[in-house]
Amino acid sequence: MPGERLTPQDRQQIAAGLREELTYAAIGRRIGRPTSTVTREVMRNGGPRGYHAEAAHRASTRHARQRRTIAPTPSPGRADLGGRDPRLVDEVDAQSMELMIQAGLPQMMARVLASLFTTDSGSLTSAELVRRLHVSPASISKAIGYLENQALIKRERDPHSRAERYAIDDDVAFQSIMASARNQTQIAEVCKIAAQKLGPITPAGARLENTSQFLLHVIDDLVRSAQHWHKIYSTRPPKTSATD
C-alpha cells in the first residue's frame, strides 16, 4: 500500500484520527502509510481543524486530472528548492515538522522552521513563507516572533529589497541550547532563593535546593559539551588575525 494513492477509506480514517486527536504517526500506523504521507495530506487540505475526507478526495482527483493534462512548469514560490523534486522537499518538510511537533514545538512554528531548514539559502521572506505554506501573513508573523524568542531564527535585511528575511544558520542548534541553558539557569537561581526563604531543612526547601543544584550541574555539563562540539562541527571558517 505505501506508494499508492490514498483511497476514500484512507481519508475517512485520517479524518477520524484527527477527531480523536491522534498524532500523524499514529494515524499513519492505523492506515499503513508513512507519517509524511498523512502529514502532507492533512496540511494540503485544510490542516487538522479543517480537514474533510470528501473534499480532500475530490481535490486529489482534480489535481490528478490536471497533472495528466497540463505540462509541469516551475513554481515561482519554489525557487528555493535548488532544482530538487518539490515532492521530495515536501516529504522532508513533513517528516521534520512531525518530529518538531513531537518535541513540543507548536505546529505553525514547526512548519516555518522546517521550511527554513530545507532551503539551501537558509532564509525566506514573509511573502515566500506565505506562498510556500499557504497561510496568512499574520500566522507567519506570530510564528516568527515565537521562533525569534527561542533563538531559533534571526532577521536579516534582504540586500535586493526592503523586505526582511528570516534566517536559520548552521549555529541554530548551538544557539538554541545556549538560550535554553540561560533560561534553566534562571530557574535554578529562583529555586535556590525560594529554598533559602522556606528554609533548607524543611521538605519544601530541601526539594527546591536539590532541584537548583541538579539544574546547575546539568547545565554546566551541557554548556561545556555544546561548546566543545560546536568548535568541531562549526562550518564557519576560523577567524584569522591581520598578521596571519
Side-chain angles (χ1 to χ4, degrees):
M1 180 173 292
E4 299 177 1
R5 294 210 326 238
L6 291 171
T7 66
Q9 292 75 24
D10 290 333
R11 291 188 165 96
Q12 291 288 352
Q13 288 288 334
I14 290 173
L18 293 172
R19 288 194 296 271
E20 296 172 29
E21 298 185 350
L22 298 180
T23 65
Y24 295 149
I27 295 173
R29 289 192 295 270
R30 175 180 287 185
I31 65 174
R33 302 282 186 163
T35 301
S36 58
T37 298
V38 177
T39 305
R40 191 162 54 245
E41 166 71 10
V42 173
M43 300 315 298
R44 285 178 175 175
N45 293 283
R49 296 183 182 276
Y51 183 83
H52 298 285
E54 295 80 4
H57 192 70
R58 287 196 299 270
S60 176
T61 303
R62 183 170 61 253
H63 293 158
R65 286 198 300 266
Q66 290 173 347
R67 283 195 296 269
R68 288 194 296 266
T69 58
I70 301 175
T73 57
S75 169
R78 306 308 298 270
D80 54 287
L81 301 187
R84 288 181 285 266
D85 186 340
R87 292 171 297 181
L88 176 62
V89 177
D90 285 344
E91 182 176 351
V92 174
D93 273 350
Q95 291 172 339
S96 301
M97 184 186 73
E98 177 71 11
L99 291 172
M100 292 175 188
I101 291 173
Q102 291 178 4
L105 201 63
Q107 186 178 82
M108 182 52 62
M109 292 63 173
R111 293 185 69 191
V112 170
L113 193 59
S115 294
L116 292 172
F117 260 116
T118 54
T119 59
D120 286 334
S121 66
S123 70
L124 293 167
T125 65
S126 177
E128 289 169 339
L129 284 165
V130 166
R131 288 195 299 269
R132 180 164 176 162
L133 300 179
H134 306 290
V135 295
S136 68
S139 296
I140 296 298
S141 179
K142 182 178 179 180
I144 291 299
Y146 179 95
L147 294 171
E148 277 189 305
N149 189 53
Q150 298 297 314
L152 291 170
I153 65 171
K154 60 184 179 181
R155 294 175 187 256
E156 295 178 345
R157 179 63 62 182
D158 190 323
H160 305 296
S161 71
R162 292 187 296 177
E164 284 188 323
R165 301 190 70 84
Y166 307 116
I168 186 171
D169 60 27
D170 295 337
D171 280 345
V172 61
F174 176 72
Q175 296 298 339
S176 178
I177 288 173
M178 298 303 289
S180 176
R182 289 191 291 271
N183 290 336
Q184 293 296 317
T185 298
Q186 292 178 341
I187 293 173
E189 291 173 350
V190 169
C191 287
K192 186 174 184 65
I193 293 172
Q196 293 172 348
K197 290 181 177 180
L198 296 178
I201 61 173
T202 65
R207 186 183 307 117
L208 287 163
E209 177 65 23
N210 287 341
T211 299
S212 173
Q213 291 302 316
F214 172 81
L215 286 175
L216 289 173
H217 286 302
V218 170
I219 293 164
D220 183 64
D221 288 345
L222 178 63
V223 168
R224 289 174 184 272
S225 179
Q227 291 172 335
H228 168 73
W229 293 110
H230 178 250
K231 290 179 182 178
I232 293 175
Y233 287 108
S234 176
T235 59
R236 293 180 178 178
K239 293 182 180 179
T240 57
S241 65
T243 58
D244 288 347

